[in-house]
Amino acid sequence: MLAWGLWAVFARLATDSVLLETAMGISDATGTLVAGTYIVATRKIPTAMVDDGLFYAALAGIAVVFPEETMQTTDTAGILLTGSAIALIAN
């Protein structure tokens, strides 16, 4: 909870200085770097494959493209990073 609170404070400070998209990109990239470093350092991937979770994740991806909007590269990257974060947080 403390980490989440700190994230919210730092995200607010970041968006006061830079564009929201830039702050989100840097935040996502940093989170990916930290998670990737953890996986490489421990040599294990902390994910639990549960059919229900995979089903709901797939539905969430479909819901993103359902409004018939075009998918940009950044949208796809965001979805992949979000999925990675969910998988890491699940454990």
Side-chain angles (χ1 to χ4, degrees), residues 14-55:
T15 56
D16 286 343
S17 303
V18 296
L19 292 173
L20 175 63
E21 293 82 4
T22 303
M24 286 175 34
I26 292 170
S27 177
D28 289 347
T30 303
T32 302
L33 179 65
V34 170
T37 302
Y38 171 79
I39 290 169
V40 168
T42 62
R43 299 281 191 231
K44 61 182 178 181
I45 299 175
T47 58
M49 294 297 191
V50 179
D51 292 338
D52 290 345
L54 295 174
F55 174 72

Side-chain angles (χ1 to χ4, degrees), residues 72-91:
Q72 303 292 331
T73 304
T74 54
D75 297 330
T76 304
I79 291 168
L80 292 174
L81 290 172
T82 301
S84 299
I86 290 169
L88 290 171
I89 291 171
N91 271 337

